[in-house]
Amino acid sequence: QLLVDDLREPLSVDQKCFVDHIFSGGQHLLELINDVLDFAKIEAGKVDLVIENLSARAVLDECLSIIDVIASERAIKIIIGDRFQTAAKVRADHTRFRQSLLNLLSNAVKYNCENGRIMIDCHETLARMLHISVTDTGDGIAEESLDELFEPFRRLKAEYTDIEGTGIGLTITKQLVERMGGRIGVDTEIGNGSTFWIELPLAESKIIDEATTRRELEDDDRKLSLSFSGTVLYIDDNPASLKLVESIIGRIEGLSILSAQNANSGIDLAKSDAPNLIIVDINLPDMDGFSVLKELQRLKIANNTPIIALSANAMPEVIDKGIKAGFRNYLTKPINIVALVDLIKDVLRTP
């Protein structure tokens, strides 16, 4: 990521091509590992859901921010139905709803044709469900293959193509949707594409609230006009992680970085240098990140200084424990540079 985005020493065309292959391969391996781990957790009944009222359009927009990039690479046009503008809220787990919808959209891109289209629409059913459909203009699925569609590790001959995947994405999506009280299905025809759909229970109220929407827009405008500056303290015993974060912070105008390779040194720097933001690894040699947070809370440093966890431990229960303990946010490794920079800027913005 650093090599691709280095404007001071830009890569040659060939170098960028090679780095893109490395990055793409790394992302694909990470997706494979995450899918297999997710599948194992679901099969073992270890997935905890937090069901709440969610805006279907807001979750769709989150997914589109990711899908738009890969769709544009294949010149695929995405069309959103008008009914999404007034779509009702649904009862679902935010992370798992997003994951399920993202999987359907990702498949609609992967199995579509070049210069194709994806149509996304929704409607309320008589059974008080929100029906969300994702239609592609791909080759469609043979009727004799439909029984295998939601079976794990069945790719319906896609393994003989250059389309990447594990064959468990739809299996995971089906199990997650059903655990949220919903349904999933497909309508398809050879030569005319496929429509995958999910249904989730409706919440009680509509999302239309003009006053709230206006306030949110005003907040967004205000955020865009703010600047940021300050010092970031990063505590991590891994030299490679330290160097990476130092490189990232070094590229952000207005920021400087302090770094420590163990918890005690980090706490001393937090007391003496009063950083504006503290980023802590969870697995440190002398004490874990939770103990560091507790000590910073005892010293009252955490009262005025936001503290973010950054760790390779990406288990949902650990992340949830971190947020409940008092971390402002919990980011996971491998580091997503854009997400880290956006979070730092958001935390350190000042009028």
Side-chain angles (χ1 to χ4, degrees):
Q1 292 177 72
L2 285 172
L3 286 169
V4 169
D5 296 327
D6 194 342
L7 298 178
R8 293 173 296 184
E9 298 181 41
L11 300 174
S12 69
V13 174
D14 282 346
Q15 288 172 332
K16 186 176 186 307
C17 179
F18 300 148
V19 170
D20 284 343
H21 277 297
I22 295 170
F23 184 74
S24 176
Q27 287 295 107
H28 179 49
L29 286 173
L30 184 61
E31 288 168 9
L32 294 179
I33 293 166
N34 285 337
D35 279 352
V36 173
L37 290 175
D38 230 0
F39 180 66
K41 285 166 56 183
I42 293 171
E43 289 288 288
K46 299 295 185 181
V47 175
D48 295 322
L49 301 177
V50 179
I51 303 299
E52 55 186 330
N53 291 349
L54 298 172
S55 161
R57 180 55 199 252
V59 174
L60 173 62
D61 286 341
E62 290 180 38
C63 296
L64 289 176
S65 67
I66 299 170
I67 291 298
D68 278 340
V69 177
I70 59 174
S72 63
E73 291 174 355
R74 302 190 63 208
I76 294 173
K77 183 178 182 181
I78 298 177
I79 302 167
I80 303 172
D82 291 338
R83 283 177 289 194
F84 255 109
Q85 303 300 331
T86 56
K89 285 186 176 180
V90 296
R91 296 283 295 163
D93 177 277
H94 179 271
T95 299
R96 299 308 186 176
F97 177 22
R98 178 178 178 273
Q99 180 182 357
S100 300
L101 187 53
L102 191 58
N103 185 60
L104 297 190
L105 291 168
S106 176
N107 283 349
V109 173
K110 288 195 294 185
Y111 297 100
N112 215 323
C113 59
E114 299 287 333
N115 301 298
R117 288 174 292 124
I118 297 173
M119 287 74 71
I120 309 167
D121 210 347
C122 69
H123 66 266
E124 296 180 22
T125 72
L126 294 176
R128 296 290 299 156
M129 308 282 276
L130 185 68
H131 180 102
I132 301 172
S133 61
V134 178
T135 302
D136 64 59
T137 52
D139 293 333
I141 303 167
E143 185 175 352
E144 60 268 22
S145 298
L146 291 179
D147 289 341
E148 302 177 15
L149 191 60
F150 296 101
E151 292 295 320
F153 306 108
R154 300 294 182 89
R155 299 199 61 209
L156 309 186
K157 298 183 179 179
E159 62 269 28
Y160 303 118
T161 71
D162 59 357
I163 300 173
E164 296 177 342
T166 58
I168 57 176
L170 284 175
T171 308
I172 292 172
T173 300
K174 182 176 187 294
Q175 295 195 29
L176 290 175
V177 168
E178 290 177 350
R179 291 191 180 209
M180 292 187 289
R183 300 193 307 142
I184 186 171
V186 61
D187 303 306
T188 183
E189 183 180 348
I190 290 293
N192 287 319
S194 304
T195 298
F196 282 85
W197 53 265
I198 58 175
E199 289 181 351
L200 291 170
L202 287 169
E204 292 302 315
S205 59
K206 298 284 185 180
I207 66 168
I208 301 292
D209 182 342
E210 292 183 1
T212 300
T213 301
R214 187 167 55 251
R215 284 196 302 271
E216 289 173 349
L217 290 173
E218 289 171 353
D219 286 345
D220 286 344
D221 289 339
R222 181 179 60 81
K223 287 178 181 178
L224 289 173
S225 67
L226 300 179
S227 62
F228 58 92
S229 63
T231 301
V232 177
L233 168 61
Y234 181 42
I235 308 171
D236 195 325
D237 64 315
N238 186 314
S241 294
L242 282 172
K243 186 171 181 57
L244 175 58
V245 174
E246 286 171 356
S247 297
I248 294 169
I249 301 297
R251 295 182 178 195
I252 305 176
E253 187 176 352
L255 293 188
S256 59
I257 184 166
L258 300 168
S259 50
Q261 292 190 332
N262 59 64
N264 286 310
S265 296
I267 292 169
D268 289 341
L269 282 173
K271 291 190 290 186
S272 62
D273 290 72
N276 303 94
L277 169 66
I278 301 173
I279 303 174
V280 185
D281 183 31
I282 293 298
N283 299 309
L284 295 167
D286 45 348
M287 68 174 78
D288 63 33
F290 291 101
S291 299
V292 173
L293 175 65
K294 189 174 293 186
E295 178 63 12
L296 294 175
Q297 290 170 334
R298 187 188 70 79
L299 295 169
K300 310 296 184 184
I301 293 173
N303 291 355
N304 302 309
T305 305
I307 303 171
I308 296 171
L310 179 61
S311 174
N313 193 333
M315 297 301 288
E317 56 269 25
V318 178
I319 295 174
D320 184 58
K321 175 185 174 183
I323 298 301
K324 288 179 179 176
F327 284 113
R328 171 72 68 89
N329 210 313
Y330 191 117
L331 296 180
T332 58
K333 299 176 182 178
I335 296 171
N336 181 315
I337 293 176
V338 173
L340 177 60
V341 170
D342 285 346
L343 179 58
I344 291 172
K345 288 182 177 180
D346 186 61
V347 170
L348 295 183
R349 280 191 182 105
T350 55

